[in-house]
Amino acid sequence: MKDIIFTIGCEYGSGGPDIGKMIAKKRNIPCYDRVIIDRIIEETGLSKEVTEMADAGVEIRGRSKALSNTASPSKYAILTERVVYLQTQIIRKLADRGPCVIIGRCADHVLRDRTGVCNVFIYAPEDRRLEHIMNALKVSSDAARVLIEKNDRHNHARYKQMTGTYRGDRHNRHLLVDSSALGLEGTARLIEDFAEAMFQG
């Protein structure tokens, strides 16, 4: 197997995180998702509240109670910029460790100048996304629809804030794939095969 870094962007409910974890398990490489990266950010002194505000595209000027008392004064006037800066540095350091899967967090943009990276965006029809969320979270179709709308809004705002472009822009990815066509396992195999062919030789 080639030493490849996979970045997985996805629509909420398309199964992107599950697919990323399948790839990581098959290749025996680390998988870094939102929870892991946000936990590292919190360890720097920025609270979960600030990270969530940044996700929603909320601009937080000046110092805030959301900052830990132990955090050193930021050189940034806008705390959301500090979240972006920390996230960028963390993703680069994780990639420096070697082959891995990084889910979300604008990793395709952060690693855009690095070789050996396969940038993938996973999407699915709304009915399949609803079905996936209902089954995974045991919620009603109405609740699943609200979650899709909320997460799509936040994810689009976050990506636009950090990159100046849009999450599903084909120019930012090497592969866009509908996970409903082959299912989660089939999509994982397709992505692996594509990446291996992409870096063959």
Side-chain angles (χ1 to χ4, degrees), residues 119-131:
N119 297 317
V120 179
F121 187 80
I122 299 169
Y123 63 96
E126 185 175 351
D127 61 332
R128 299 298 290 271
R129 296 168 68 192
L130 284 168
E131 181 183 356

Side-chain angles (χ1 to χ4, degrees), residues 5 13 16 33 63 65 67 76 78 82 96 105 123 157-158:
I5 295 171
D33 61 10
R63 296 273 300 171
K65 291 182 180 179
L67 270 176
Y76 299 95
I78 302 175
R82 178 160 170 75
D96 285 343
R105 288 312 189 221
Y123 63 96
R158 176 62 163 172

Side-chain angles (χ1 to χ4, degrees), residues 158-189:
R158 176 62 163 172
Y159 196 87
K160 185 72 161 60
Q161 177 194 47
M162 186 163 180
T163 71
T165 184
Y166 298 94
R167 292 168 60 235
D169 188 339
R170 65 187 183 280
H171 299 293
N172 301 338
R173 319 284 181 167
H174 298 113
L175 177 67
L176 288 82
V177 57
D178 177 354
S179 60
S180 71
L182 298 176
L184 302 189
E185 292 185 3
T187 302
R189 288 194 297 270

Side-chain angles (χ1 to χ4, degrees), residues 131-167:
E131 181 183 356
H132 182 83
I133 295 166
M134 290 167 63
N135 291 335
L137 301 181
K138 309 301 180 188
V139 297
S140 68
S141 61
D142 288 342
R145 196 178 305 277
V146 169
L147 286 170
I148 285 177
E149 292 175 357
K150 175 185 176 183
N151 280 277
D152 279 353
R153 184 171 61 253
H154 283 191
N155 291 338
H156 282 304
R158 176 62 163 172
Y159 196 87
K160 185 72 161 60
Q161 177 194 47
M162 186 163 180
T163 71
T165 184
Y166 298 94
R167 292 168 60 235

Side-chain angles (χ1 to χ4, degrees), residues 82-136:
R82 178 160 170 75
V83 175
V84 169
Y85 172 78
L86 289 171
Q87 177 181 299
T88 298
Q89 297 305 307
I90 289 165
I91 289 171
R92 287 175 179 164
K93 288 182 183 299
L94 293 175
D96 285 343
R97 295 179 179 178
C100 61
V101 175
I102 304 177
I103 299 171
R105 288 312 189 221
C106 307
D108 62 301
H109 177 77
V110 173
L111 303 178
R112 62 192 180 280
D113 297 324
R114 183 184 292 258
T115 58
V117 178
C118 180
N119 297 317
V120 179
F121 187 80
I122 299 169
Y123 63 96
E126 185 175 351
D127 61 332
R128 299 298 290 271
R129 296 168 68 192
L130 284 168
E131 181 183 356
H132 182 83
I133 295 166
M134 290 167 63
N135 291 335

Side-chain angles (χ1 to χ4, degrees), residues 13-105:
S14 65
D18 296 317
I19 292 168
K21 289 171 185 175
M22 289 176 186
I23 294 171
K25 183 176 180 180
K26 171 83 175 297
R27 302 177 76 87
N28 194 29
I29 59 177
C31 181
Y32 305 113
D33 61 10
R34 169 180 176 169
V35 173
I36 292 173
I37 293 172
D38 286 358
R39 186 182 302 131
I40 298 171
I41 291 176
E42 287 178 42
E43 289 174 357
T44 69
L46 286 176
S47 73
K48 183 177 181 180
E49 178 188 354
V50 170
T51 306
E52 289 176 348
M53 287 180 177
D55 279 344
V58 176
E59 191 175 88
I60 317 166
R61 294 188 176 277
R63 296 273 300 171
S64 164
K65 291 182 180 179
L67 270 176
S68 163
N69 292 331
T70 61
S72 58
S74 171
K75 65 180 180 180
Y76 299 95
I78 302 175
L79 294 182
T80 47
E81 288 185 1
R82 178 160 170 75
V83 175
V84 169
Y85 172 78
L86 289 171
Q87 177 181 299
T88 298
Q89 297 305 307
I90 289 165
I91 289 171
R92 287 175 179 164
K93 288 182 183 299
L94 293 175
D96 285 343
R97 295 179 179 178
C100 61
V101 175
I102 304 177
I103 299 171
R105 288 312 189 221

